[in-house]
Amino acid sequence: MVIGGGFVSPWISVILAFPMMLAIWFYRDPERVPDAPAGWVSPADGKVVEIEEVDHEYTGRATKIGIFMNGFDVHVNRFPTSGRVEYVKYVPGKKWFAIAPKASEINERFYVGAKSENGRFLLVQIAGILARRIVCRVSKGDTLDRGQRYGMIKLGSKVDVYLPPSVVPAVNIGNRVVAGETVIGVVKK
């Protein structure tokens, strides 16, 4: 279409090239290598906005770390550690601001729970006001490695990770994290 527009006018090609380049940039998926040989890596690019104790039917007592992705972050989501998927649940809901404190409870979301050698953990992809689609590419029984891609949320949104009691957070609220690279949790000794 960009090339075709050039047959009519070079300006049409220039105008059409901008949204095409924006789409290519948004769907970028760079390779990532963890910062350290051990530790749980971030499942999403973004800013840590929540760290709190929670209780969930799959994990039991856990520490939740909420990571908000703005429109400039890479939106590909990754597994924080190696694990086998045991729990998958889609919950329809609102598309309110993902950074809002109650977004984890009222917005459209997708839960993926897995069992690791350190215990059960949960990932929650949460749609935001601009996000119109959550993509999750795993099913029950799949086994993924640390940092492996498992899904994507299109446009600004949030990912929560529920760490098992044997893992303590290695980040603070306000920290910027990179999916598949930044260590966000370490196993207690």
Side-chain angles (χ1 to χ4, degrees), residues 11 73 123 156 161 182:
W11 289 106
D73 292 315
L123 300 165
V161 55
T182 308

Side-chain angles (χ1 to χ4, degrees), residues 54-62 79 83-89 111-116 119-124 140-141 162 164-165:
V54 293
D55 204 0
H56 187 269
E57 66 184 17
Y58 176 72
T59 59
R61 197 84 181 139
F79 248 44
R84 181 179 170 88
V85 177
E86 294 182 332
Y87 180 89
V88 175
K89 183 178 181 181
Y111 294 88
V112 173
K115 187 172 184 177
S116 73
R120 289 180 168 180
F121 66 93
L122 187 68
L123 300 165
V124 189
K140 284 183 184 177
Y162 290 50

Side-chain angles (χ1 to χ4, degrees), residues 1-17 20:
M1 196 157 57
V2 173
I3 295 171
F7 291 117
V8 178
S9 167
W11 289 106
I12 292 176
S13 290
V14 171
I15 292 170
L16 293 175
M20 184 185 79

Side-chain angles (χ1 to χ4, degrees), residues 74-96:
V74 172
H75 281 61
V76 174
N77 305 135
R78 296 170 183 263
F79 248 44
T81 191
S82 299
R84 181 179 170 88
V85 177
E86 294 182 332
Y87 180 89
V88 175
K89 183 178 181 181
Y90 169 75
V91 178
K94 296 180 178 180
K95 290 183 172 59
W96 190 236

Side-chain angles (χ1 to χ4, degrees), residues 62-155:
T63 302
K64 178 177 88 173
I65 298 176
I67 301 164
F68 176 73
M69 299 179 286
N70 67 38
F72 299 105
D73 292 315
V74 172
H75 281 61
V76 174
N77 305 135
R78 296 170 183 263
F79 248 44
T81 191
S82 299
R84 181 179 170 88
V85 177
E86 294 182 332
Y87 180 89
V88 175
K89 183 178 181 181
Y90 169 75
V91 178
K94 296 180 178 180
K95 290 183 172 59
W96 190 236
F97 293 99
I99 200 168
K102 294 291 180 187
S104 299
E105 300 166 20
I106 62 172
N107 281 18
E108 176 185 355
R109 55 203 179 275
F110 200 101
Y111 294 88
V112 173
K115 187 172 184 177
S116 73
E117 65 180 16
N118 304 119
R120 289 180 168 180
F121 66 93
L122 187 68
L123 300 165
V124 189
Q125 297 171 294
I126 303 161
I129 195 164
L130 295 176
R132 292 291 174 230
R133 188 158 178 228
I134 296 172
V135 178
C136 184
R137 297 187 177 105
V138 297
S139 305
K140 284 183 184 177
D142 291 348
T143 300
L144 281 81
D145 290 325
R146 177 179 181 237
Q148 190 172 346
R149 298 168 182 90
Y150 81 93
M152 178 181 197
I153 308 174
K154 298 180 178 176
L155 298 178

